[in-house]
Amino acid sequence: MKRGLLLLLTARSGRGGLGVISQVPFFFVIPSRSQQHRNCVRMSTTAGRCEPCSSLNESAVLPVESIKDELNGMPLWRLVENGDDSPLKISRSFVAKNFQAALDCINAMGAIAEREGHHPDFHLTEYRSVEIVLFTHKLRGITTNDLVLARMFDSEVQVSYSPKWLRDHPEAASNTIYQEGTK
């Protein structure tokens, strides 16, 4: 276990860069590189690139039938239709092998999202249950960016799934680090 300082940062007005608001001591565990590699692996991809959201308008929101057609080739993702005024979203859920594996995957996906400038909603519950929700917040709907980012997550991030969850979801086997029966 290591000791460190958590820095709370703010943007500096007029001068650019970041300024420190306060420093908070905390304890943390840094997994070894082999542990990080074992829990989640990022790979290169050719899934495409996200378009800047600032260049999109309402015409970029995809119709439901187009989304459903695209999701036919993406078995880990499902369409979320909440009705009312809620926007359509796509979602992927899984149970990771352990808490660290869940965090590693969220961090790897977060790095991809940051690189692409398109940010999903991440939910971590029950210490290893992960849900990723994608939609274009600015337009309150699903655009090509959401589908591109979902494909990037599928192709660039391999997950260390819970063996029980993986048995119940064989469609995820191509996206896992450990197959059933291995340690």
Side-chain angles (χ1 to χ4, degrees):
M1 188 171 298
K2 303 260 184 189
R3 266 183 49 188
L5 289 177
L6 175 62
L7 301 177
L8 302 176
L9 304 174
T10 185
R12 291 187 202 165
S13 60
R15 294 179 20 192
L18 297 174
V20 176
I21 296 174
S22 65
Q23 299 178 7
V24 180
F26 72 104
F27 294 92
F28 59 97
V29 175
I30 300 176
S32 69
R33 289 215 184 271
S34 63
Q35 286 174 315
Q36 290 173 358
H37 180 73
R38 189 168 31 114
N39 288 331
C40 191
V41 175
R42 285 187 51 208
M43 303 174 295
S44 63
T45 184
T46 57
R49 302 269 319 165
C50 289
E51 295 294 321
C53 289
S54 60
S55 69
L56 301 177
N57 61 33
E58 291 79 24
S59 67
V61 175
L62 298 171
V64 175
E65 290 309 313
S66 295
I67 298 164
K68 288 179 178 178
D69 288 344
E70 289 292 325
L71 291 179
N72 283 334
M74 301 168 65
L76 301 176
W77 294 87
R78 65 181 180 85
L79 182 63
V80 178
E81 300 177 88
N82 289 331
D84 301 329
D85 285 339
S86 297
L88 288 177
K89 302 173 182 180
I90 59 174
S91 172
R92 175 181 169 191
S93 299
F94 62 89
V95 178
K97 184 177 179 180
N98 55 41
F99 179 72
Q100 188 63 55
L103 284 180
D104 289 345
C105 290
I106 288 172
N107 286 332
M109 290 177 183
I112 294 166
E114 189 63 24
R115 176 189 78 205
E116 297 300 319
H118 192 64
H119 304 97
D121 295 339
F122 290 114
H123 305 272
L124 174 60
T125 58
E126 298 176 359
Y127 85 90
R128 61 186 184 138
S129 295
V130 176
E131 181 184 22
I132 303 104
V133 179
L134 281 166
F135 71 107
T136 302
H137 295 82
K138 175 185 173 188
L139 300 176
R140 294 187 47 81
I142 298 170
T143 64
T144 302
N145 281 354
D146 302 303
L147 298 169
V148 167
L149 192 59
R151 283 189 197 96
M152 287 179 183
F153 290 164
D154 289 350
S155 66
E156 292 186 46
V157 179
Q158 287 186 316
V159 180
S160 182
Y161 295 111
S162 155
K164 181 184 182 310
W165 186 89
L166 190 56
R167 272 192 308 276
D168 294 340
H169 299 86
E171 69 278 7
S174 65
N175 185 256
T176 187
I177 294 174
Y178 295 108
Q179 299 294 327
E180 185 177 353
T182 64
K183 292 185 179 180

